[in-house]
Amino acid sequence: MSENELQEYDRLLDEPDWDIYYWVIQKKEPPERWVDSKLLEKLRVHARNEGKVVRKMPHLSLETPLP
């Protein structure tokens, strides 16, 4: 992500989680400030998962050292 995208993402995360969820799955219209957001569109593409990719969390091991 570019610096601008990271800043936009940070602003998006200031919104209530459920609002973001409903905007991403397009069950609610986002407020004007997010209507033309490229980031929101990227999240929508990811959520649609048109390739039907099986996504899962990676295995977390307690033996793996933390950075």
Side-chain angles (χ1 to χ4, degrees):
M1 291 179 114
S2 70
E3 183 65 31
N4 287 341
E5 288 174 319
L6 285 172
Q7 289 174 0
E8 182 179 6
Y9 186 62
D10 188 51
R11 286 191 304 275
L12 181 65
L13 292 179
D14 288 337
E15 302 284 354
D17 293 347
W18 283 108
D19 287 348
I20 296 169
Y21 173 75
Y22 286 120
W23 301 337
V24 167
I25 65 168
Q26 296 181 294
K27 295 295 182 185
K28 282 187 173 181
E29 189 69 27
E32 185 65 33
R33 65 185 171 274
W34 294 110
V35 169
D36 296 323
S37 169
K38 291 179 183 178
L39 176 63
L40 192 55
E41 183 55 33
K42 285 181 179 183
L43 290 170
R44 287 175 175 157
V45 168
H46 178 76
R48 281 194 299 266
N49 191 17
E50 293 173 345
K52 304 299 182 210
V53 175
V54 176
R55 298 182 179 134
K56 58 185 176 180
M57 293 293 294
H59 176 70
L60 301 177
S61 171
L62 295 176
E63 297 173 13
T64 305
L66 297 174

